[in-house]
Amino acid sequence: MMRLTALLLLLAASYALQPALAASDAEVLTELENPGYHSKPDWFKNSFLDIREDVSDAAEAGKRVMLYFYQDGCPYCEKLLRENFADQEISQTARDGFDVIAINIWGDREVTDTAGAATTEKQFAAALGVQYTPTILLLDEDANAVLRIDGYYPPHQFHAGLQYVALKRERDGESFRDFYQRQDAKAASGELHQEPGFLEPPLKLADNRAESERPLVVMFEQPVCTACDELHHDILRRDPVALALTNLDAVVVDTYSKDSIQTPDGRDMPIRDWAAELGINYTPSLVFFDTEGEEVFRTDGYLKAFHIHGLLDYVATGAYAHQPNFQRWLQHRTDALHARGIDYDLMR
C-alpha cells in the first residue's frame, strides 16, 4: 500500500509542498463553520457497502473505487467537499474515474469488507487504521489500495493523486512521486479574482438590472479554485473573449461568502444562501440574467475559451430566445467557421 502522506513528504524538499499545507488547525476552524453534517455531491455512489461488489461494479464500468472516510462536524471534510470536489476538473476526474463511496468512521451501517466478512462502518474504518478525517483510499480492481490520502490535501495535490490512480499508472511501474513530478501541478492562487469594469460592492443587482440594457453574468467562484484561476488568468484575457464580455455586465462573487447581496429580483441575503438557493455546486459557475432579472442560462461545467466565448455571445445576442439548445447553436457556429475555412481548436 502506497501512502500519499509519505510520498508528499519526500517531495516537500524539492517541490516546496509544505507552504501549501501550512494552515493550522486553528486557522481552518476559524475559516470554516462546524455545522455537523456536510452534504455530499449527488454523484457519490449510493452503495449497499458490499465493497467487493462495489469494486466489481466499478471495474465493469471501467472505473475504480474511492472510499471517502468522514465524520460529521469535521471542518477538513467540509474543506474537501467545498474546495476539492467542487473544483470542475477534480470533480470530472472523480466522476469519470471512480465510484465514490462515503463511509462514516463512527457509523453503524453494515459493511461487507474486502474479505467478505460482515462488519460496521466504524469497525471497517478501525481495521483499516483510519484515525482521522478525511481519509481516502483509492482501490484497484482487486480491492487493494493503490494510494491512500490521510488528511486534507490542497486541490492540486489531491487531483494528481486521483489522476495517478484513474490512469492506472502503477501498472506501468511508475511511482506516484515520478508521476507528480511530471504533472508539475500548480497550487490555486487563493485569491478571489476581480476584473476591471466588473460590478463592485455593494452589490445591488436589482438596481443594476433596472438601469442597464445589457444582460448580466454572475460568476460564482471561490478563492481556492484552479479553474477560476484559468478563467481569469487565461480565458478572459483573450481578445475575442474580452471583446464579447463588453456586451454584458459582470460580477464575481465568493460562493460561500456571508456578505450580503441584492439579488436580481430585489432580495437582500447572504451570497452563500443565494448560491445554495440557485443550486450552485461547482466553481466557477456562470449564471446569466436578462435585463428583467430573470435567469436565462447557466453553465457549471469545465469549459475552454471557445465555449466561454460562445456562451457570452449566445446570451448577449439573445440567441437563447430562438434556439434554446446551446449545443446546437454552438455546433452551427462551429460549422459556419469551418465553412469559411477557419479551423478552431475547441480545447485551446
Side-chain angles (χ1 to χ4, degrees), residues 330-343:
L330 190 66
Q331 186 60 54
H332 172 75
R333 181 189 183 106
T334 306
D335 293 342
L337 287 172
H338 287 166
R340 297 175 57 192
I342 302 173
D343 188 13

Side-chain angles (χ1 to χ4, degrees), residues 125-140:
L128 291 171
V130 177
Q131 299 183 24
Y132 44 82
T133 55
T135 291
I136 289 178
L137 270 64
L138 303 172
L139 308 183
D140 65 14

Side-chain angles (χ1 to χ4, degrees), residues 59-344:
E60 288 182 10
K63 298 183 179 184
R64 289 178 153 182
V65 164
M66 180 192 305
L67 299 180
Y68 160 55
F69 292 90
Y70 73 95
Q71 60 181 316
D72 293 342
C74 163
Y76 292 100
C77 297
E78 182 186 6
K79 194 172 177 68
L80 180 76
L81 296 172
R82 174 193 293 187
E83 294 183 354
N84 295 29
F85 283 121
D87 182 282
Q88 300 285 5
E89 291 186 280
I90 293 175
S91 66
Q92 196 64 55
T93 298
R95 283 181 286 181
D96 290 346
F98 299 92
D99 283 340
V100 185
I101 299 167
I103 297 176
N104 187 339
I105 67 167
W106 307 116
D108 293 315
R109 290 187 300 167
E110 183 174 315
V111 175
T112 302
D113 67 19
T114 57
T119 182
T120 64
E121 288 177 287
K122 59 187 175 187
Q123 292 170 339
F124 183 53
L128 291 171
V130 177
Q131 299 183 24
Y132 44 82
T133 55
T135 291
I136 289 178
L137 270 64
L138 303 172
L139 308 183
D140 65 14
E141 290 73 15
D142 295 318
N144 297 316
V146 178
L147 210 58
R148 176 173 177 139
I149 304 175
D150 290 309
Y152 174 82
Y153 283 92
H156 67 295
Q157 296 172 9
F158 182 74
H159 193 199
L162 300 193
Q163 290 174 310
Y164 174 75
V165 178
L167 293 172
K168 305 177 182 178
R169 297 303 303 165
E170 85 286 353
R171 290 184 175 180
D172 297 326
E174 184 175 24
S175 69
F176 176 72
R177 176 192 177 98
D178 291 341
F179 177 84
Y180 186 87
Q181 181 178 351
R182 287 197 303 106
Q183 302 313 300
D184 191 26
K186 296 290 191 297
S189 67
E191 65 172 304
L192 185 70
H193 299 279
Q194 295 297 339
E195 298 285 346
F198 278 28
L199 303 182
E200 298 180 354
L203 297 176
K204 303 291 185 181
L205 301 188
D207 293 350
N208 170 265
R209 295 298 77 210
E211 298 169 358
S212 178
E213 297 180 353
R214 294 181 296 272
L216 168 71
V217 56
V218 181
M219 301 179 181
F220 287 90
E221 304 183 12
Q222 61 177 320
V224 181
C225 171
T226 55
C228 302
D229 291 344
E230 181 181 356
L231 177 66
H232 289 273
H233 292 161
D234 178 13
I235 295 174
L236 298 186
R237 293 286 180 268
R238 301 189 186 194
D239 289 345
V241 179
L243 183 62
L245 195 54
T246 63
N247 295 312
L248 298 94
D249 292 331
V251 62
V252 174
V253 298
D254 184 342
T255 305
Y256 302 101
S257 173
K258 299 178 185 177
D259 292 345
S260 182
I261 191 171
Q262 182 196 66
T263 64
D265 60 5
R267 294 173 295 151
D268 290 313
M269 61 196 307
I271 296 173
R272 66 176 186 177
D273 292 352
W274 186 42
E277 180 182 282
L278 290 173
I280 303 299
N281 295 314
Y282 303 102
T283 56
S285 287
L286 277 57
V287 183
F288 295 85
F289 298 86
D290 64 16
T291 55
E292 302 299 320
E294 296 290 330
E295 180 182 338
V296 294
F297 195 71
R298 71 167 65 187
T299 178
D300 60 2
Y302 175 69
L303 300 175
K304 304 297 282 187
F306 181 81
H307 294 83
I308 293 293
H309 186 188
L311 282 172
L312 299 177
D313 285 349
Y314 180 66
V315 174
T317 62
Y320 62 86
H322 59 79
Q323 175 48 274
N325 188 306
F326 172 67
Q327 290 301 329
R328 289 184 178 178
W329 181 87
L330 190 66
Q331 186 60 54
H332 172 75
R333 181 189 183 106
T334 306
D335 293 342
L337 287 172
H338 287 166
R340 297 175 57 192
I342 302 173
D343 188 13
Y344 202 96

